[in-house]
Amino acid sequence: DAGVIQSPRHEVTEMGQEVTLRCKPISGHDYLFWYRQTMMRGLELLIYFNNNVPIDDSGMPEDRFSAKMPNASFSTLKIQPSEPRDSAVYFCASSLGGVNQPQHFGDGTRLSIL
Amino acid sequence: DAKTTQPPSMDCAEGRAANLPCNHSTISGNEYVYWYRQIHSQGPQYIIHGLKNNETNEMASLIITEDRKSSTLILPHATLRDTAVYYCIAGRGDTDKLIFGTGTRLQVFP
């Protein structure tokens, strides 16, 4: 079975540019999570969705970050404008929800803002 | 969510059992203990979880103390491929939000 698919795997862009990260969750999973990982702050939850609806976006760092889930099989995380401090690995995860359903993570997008 | 405390690093010889401790002294009654691991440059991988009973699956065993203030993840026969950062998380059963700490970096050596 296909796991969580993220694209691109690597992104290098210049400060000020718009960045869009993409995620395809596992089919049938109704929870989707976006995380960011840096050496300084570790793995942080940014936002998560249930049935395509954002439930908790308290981890989104600022208004430059936005996330959408237009349907059950696709989500985007957008940064506009991007800044060097946004450089990190961004992970997407999905789950069936509930106590006994683990989160399944993608391989991440390594983002570098120059 | 309850805060967890883990040693920053541990070593284990290949073939031996790796016992990774976790302290969660402020855990509440509806919080589960979850373990994930992250192998270098990959996304975190679920290992096991439990509420108050000990649990075992094909990857590991989870031992939770009777007062639930601490737990131990046991990898019975560690291999080099088990080298990773292991995260212990105390999460509420009625939400799906997991808060990852800094974890324990386990190094398995030949």
Side-chain angles (χ1 to χ4, degrees):
Chain A
D1 290 340
V4 175
I5 299 172
Q6 293 187 245
S7 64
R9 289 298 311 277
H10 299 90
E11 175 89 10
V12 180
T13 192
E14 293 189 346
M15 182 175 66
Q17 297 297 307
E18 178 178 291
V19 173
T20 300
L21 311 181
R22 296 172 175 81
C23 176
K24 177 179 170 55
I26 293 173
S27 178
H29 283 192
D30 49 13
Y31 281 78
L32 184 138
F33 307 81
W34 282 101
Y35 292 85
R36 177 174 69 175
Q37 186 170 37
T38 62
M39 288 292 293
M40 291 295 294
R41 301 175 66 89
L43 194 61
E44 305 173 278
L45 177 65
L46 300 177
I47 184 172
Y48 77 94
F49 296 81
N50 179 24
N51 291 323
N52 312 337
V53 176
I55 302 302
D56 186 343
D57 65 354
S58 59
M60 295 286 264
E62 48 196 276
D63 292 345
R64 297 184 298 106
F65 286 68
S66 63
K68 293 182 180 179
M69 193 164 184
N71 57 62
S73 59
F74 183 66
S75 177
T76 60
L77 178 66
K78 188 171 294 187
I79 309 173
Q80 168 62 20
S82 58
E83 297 183 3
R85 60 192 167 124
D86 302 329
S87 297
V89 182
Y90 290 81
F91 290 103
C92 176
S94 70
S95 78
L96 284 169
V99 167
N100 295 312
Q101 300 299 331
Q103 293 184 23
H104 298 263
F105 284 74
D107 289 332
T109 295
R110 184 172 297 275
L111 177 64
S112 297
I113 308 298
L114 306 178
Chain B
D1 292 348
K3 178 178 171 57
T4 61
T5 305
Q6 300 177 253
S9 64
M10 294 182 65
D11 291 337
C12 179
E14 189 176 22
R16 304 297 294 268
N19 297 284
L20 291 86
C22 179
N23 182 287
H24 31 79
S25 57
T26 61
I27 196 169
S28 61
N30 66 349
E31 288 184 313
Y32 286 69
V33 179
Y34 296 87
W35 283 84
Y36 282 74
R37 73 179 182 184
Q38 187 173 23
I39 297 170
H40 180 64
S41 78
Q42 297 181 18
Q45 175 191 25
Y46 166 81
I47 302 173
I48 199 168
H49 75 280
L51 181 63
K52 52 184 177 182
N53 297 323
N54 298 337
E55 302 288 345
T56 296
N57 63 19
E58 65 277 6
M59 290 182 68
S61 294
L62 174 60
I63 308 299
I64 302 174
T65 58
E66 192 169 345
D67 63 8
R68 301 210 324 124
K69 292 185 177 183
S70 65
S71 60
T72 301
L73 178 75
I74 301 173
L75 308 178
H77 306 286
T79 71
L80 298 178
R81 288 177 295 180
D82 292 322
T83 292
V85 177
Y86 287 77
Y87 297 97
C88 169
I89 304 160
R92 288 178 55 178
D94 58 348
T95 73
D96 295 90
K97 187 172 177 176
L98 299 178
I99 308 299
F100 287 78
T102 54
T104 295
R105 185 173 298 277
L106 175 69
Q107 179 69 53
V108 180
F109 58 91

